[in-house]
Structure formats: C-alpha cells, structure tokens
Amino acid sequence: MTDAATGFSHRFRATELDARAALCEIIGTLQARGLVQEQIGAVEIALAEVINNIVEHAYAGTAPGDIVVDVAFREAILKLTTTDGGKPLPDGRLPEGRPADVTGAVDDLPEGGFGWFMIRTLARDISYARENDRNRLELTFDVVPAVDRH
Amino acid sequence: MTLTSTLTGTAKIVTVNSNRIDAAMAIQFKEAMREHTDGGPSRVILDLSSVDFIDSSGLGAIVAAMKQLGDGRKLDLAGLTPTVDKVFRLTRMDTVFKLFPSLDDAVTAQVG
C-alpha cells in the first residue's frame, strides 16, 4: 500500500533557478525523512538531470511552463514522477543514454551528453509516457534502510 | 564572487565558494574560471571541497575550463565531496582529471 503520509508533491516553473530551488527542497525533504546520504546523492543527480532536460529541451523555444515532481515511497522503493507540458522526447521515447566518450584528446572531450547515461545508471527503473499533451517520466530507486515513516 | 584564487610557487589554486555547480551557474563558472586562470602557472588546482553537488552542466563547465587553459597547462581537482565524486566516476571523467582527496594532498603532490 502506498503510504500517502510520506509522499509529497512539488510544482514549479521550468527555469534554471526555480529548478535549483525545487531540487534543494525535494532533496532536503528526503534527507529529513532519513534517506541515507549515498542514496540521496544518486537521487539528486538523476532528478537534476531529468529536470534540466525538461528546462533545456522540453520547453526549449517556448515560455517556461510547469514541472510537477511527485515523490512516493512504497516499501523499499522511492518513486519519482515528473510531468511537464513541454515537447515530447525525440521519437517519443527515452534516449539510449550511451556513456560519453572521454578517451580522446582534451580538446575533443565532451562538455555534455552525460545526463541520460547517469539517469539510467542511477535509477532502478525508468519509464516514459506521453499523456494528455504532457510528458510523464517515472524513476524508481531502491532505498535501504526503509524510510522512517511518521 | 563565486571563485577566489591564490598563487603558490608552482600552481594557481582556484577555490569554488559555492555549494553547487549546476545548470544555473555553469556559464558564470566557466567565465570566472577564465578570468582566474588567464595566464599564470601551467598547473591549476580547483578546490571543490565546498561543492556538495554538481550536475552534467557543471561537469561540462569544468571540462570547458580545462580546455580554455590551453596547451601545456593542466587542471587538477581537489576535495571532491561524495556526490561530486560520484558524478566524476559515473561519467569516467575521473580518468581525465587527476583527483586529490584534499587541497593539501594536491599541493603536496606538486612538491614531490
């Protein structure tokens, strides 16, 4: 059963500064709920990349709309669901997220393209759907020990 | 300012005075790095001990900062906190930069 008391939701405008504030608030709440630091780090990295992608790509060339992040705990799983009203992902599906090639000369090193690889590596599961003209992305993470539930 | 720098005998130490290098500050970081590393010793040590979080934009800005140093100069990183360290290892950027546990370790290494 989903423990409604421990879930929470956050809605904010898709700008870099609002994204930073929202991420800090969500991560702060997870810390307050007793998630261990290593897991917090993984969640923060992955969620930051998801949100940055929405800000930079989904809403590219349009006025920044909203982003909603729903956080839910279920047994030893943390589920983050983001929705936004921006453009769909290219080809309507999750990018492959191959690792960036860092073996070349310094001048050829990538300065981007790390995001989806990190998201895919850090999350246990990831799924994407386009529903009612909104993008819906679900990320799950294993969390151990169980989050303190009050 | 986000960055401060000091000069040792053989290196320029640039300290990040911010707890995050994220998309909202990546461009500012890169420009500030340019100002602090324009000329000077061939070795630059970036002290990241105050930085709790970095995203892919911040990582890209550090890579860009290394490129803009130019030929024959190097950027070493010191004091990576756990989440920052995780980003460098995940992306294999730990194989590109020399990482030191602390600024002291980085500074000492230049002597030896």
Side-chain angles (χ1 to χ4, degrees):
Chain A
M1 164 184 112
T2 300
D3 190 340
T6 58
F8 61 97
S9 184
H10 206 82
R11 177 190 290 267
F12 53 98
R13 230 161 60 90
T15 70
E16 287 176 343
L17 286 174
D18 289 323
R20 176 198 281 171
L23 188 64
C24 288
E25 194 162 323
I26 290 164
I27 293 305
T29 304
L30 292 176
Q31 275 166 335
R33 303 245 173 132
L35 221 65
V36 299
Q37 189 54 46
E38 194 186 336
Q39 294 175 334
I40 293 268
V43 171
E44 184 169 16
I45 293 165
L47 183 58
E49 298 304 331
V50 167
I51 292 173
N52 284 347
N53 284 334
I54 297 170
V55 172
E56 290 167 25
H57 302 299
Y59 285 117
T62 65
D66 71 317
I67 300 175
V68 179
V69 180
D70 283 308
V71 182
F73 297 103
R74 188 164 154 184
E75 293 165 4
I77 291 182
L78 168 66
K79 184 166 91 172
L80 303 178
T81 307
T82 65
T83 65
D84 67 85
K87 289 187 279 289
L89 284 173
D91 302 325
R93 60 169 184 250
L94 291 165
E96 204 175 324
R98 265 181 267 173
D101 181 4
V102 301
T103 58
V106 167
D107 280 341
D108 298 330
L109 286 172
E111 295 177 30
F114 311 111
W116 283 107
F117 175 72
M118 289 201 284
I119 295 166
R120 285 186 177 279
T121 306
L122 294 168
R124 176 191 204 248
D125 278 312
I126 171 170
S127 69
Y128 170 72
R130 180 80 177 172
E131 294 170 354
N132 304 318
D133 289 333
R134 288 180 70 83
N135 297 308
R136 178 189 174 88
L137 198 69
E138 269 184 25
L139 299 180
T140 58
F141 298 85
D142 292 312
V143 289
V144 181
V147 170
D148 189 20
R149 292 153 200 259
H150 294 290
Chain B
M1 193 56 207
T2 313
L3 304 181
T4 50
S5 60
T6 56
L7 208 51
T8 71
T10 54
K12 180 79 160 265
I13 299 169
V14 181
T15 303
V16 184
N17 303 305
S18 165
N19 62 359
R20 45 208 301 129
I21 308 177
D22 60 13
M25 75 162 290
I27 292 170
Q28 182 199 348
F29 170 83
K30 185 178 156 184
E31 284 312 308
M33 278 297 284
R34 190 194 299 278
E35 289 163 21
H36 282 272
T37 61
D38 188 25
S42 63
R43 186 184 189 215
V44 175
I45 304 169
L46 185 62
D47 179 6
L48 293 168
S49 54
S50 296
V51 180
D52 298 322
F53 179 76
I54 187 170
D55 63 13
S56 58
S57 301
L59 179 64
I62 291 179
V63 172
M66 176 172 62
K67 291 181 186 175
Q68 70 194 10
L69 287 180
D71 283 347
R73 299 180 75 199
K74 57 186 281 196
L75 182 62
D76 290 342
L77 309 180
L80 278 70
T81 59
T83 303
V84 175
D85 188 70
K86 199 181 193 78
V87 168
F88 275 82
R89 291 185 195 288
L90 276 173
T91 57
R92 300 280 179 263
M93 281 294 173
D94 59 327
T95 63
V96 170
F97 293 92
K98 198 155 186 184
L99 310 183
F100 294 92
S102 71
L103 181 57
D104 276 353
D105 291 319
V107 172
T108 309
Q110 81 186 5
V111 178

